Amino acid sequence: MSQKKVDAYKAEKANREKIMKKEKLILNLEKLAALVVCIVAVCWIGYSVYGKVTADQVTETTETVMDTSALDSYLNGLSADSEAE
């Protein structure tokens, strides 16, 4: 090997740890970016499907009237019984 190659190898070997950390950081950032893109795509698809499903449905409000006079008189009778004792 020529002296130039030996010097380049020694310089690379001295900085190998630093280079490996940098490469690992870049790889992790790429993975994180891919994960974010996938999550955004899934959420967007889900929201679009939900929007299309609910757009066709018409919401209809039904009001129900309930007579609670029998229940009221029963509860009043219970409280009157407890006061009489």
Side-chain angles (χ1 to χ4, degrees), residues 75-85:
L75 291 175
N76 288 333
L78 287 177
S79 63
D81 289 343
S82 65
E83 291 175 1
E85 292 177 0

Side-chain angles (χ1 to χ4, degrees), residues 58-71:
V58 176
T59 57
E60 189 173 308
T61 306
T62 304
E63 190 173 320
T64 305
V65 178
M66 189 168 109
D67 182 22
T68 60
S69 60
L71 182 61

Side-chain angles (χ1 to χ4, degrees), residues 8-38:
Y9 176 76
K10 285 183 181 179
E12 190 270 329
K13 188 174 178 182
N15 294 326
R16 186 174 294 161
E17 204 170 301
K18 189 184 215 181
I19 293 169
M20 289 177 67
K21 281 185 180 180
K22 187 176 180 181
E23 287 176 354
K24 189 181 279 190
L25 176 66
I26 291 172
L27 179 65
N28 285 337
L29 288 175
E30 288 174 353
K31 286 179 182 179
L32 180 64
L35 178 67
V36 168
V37 168
C38 289

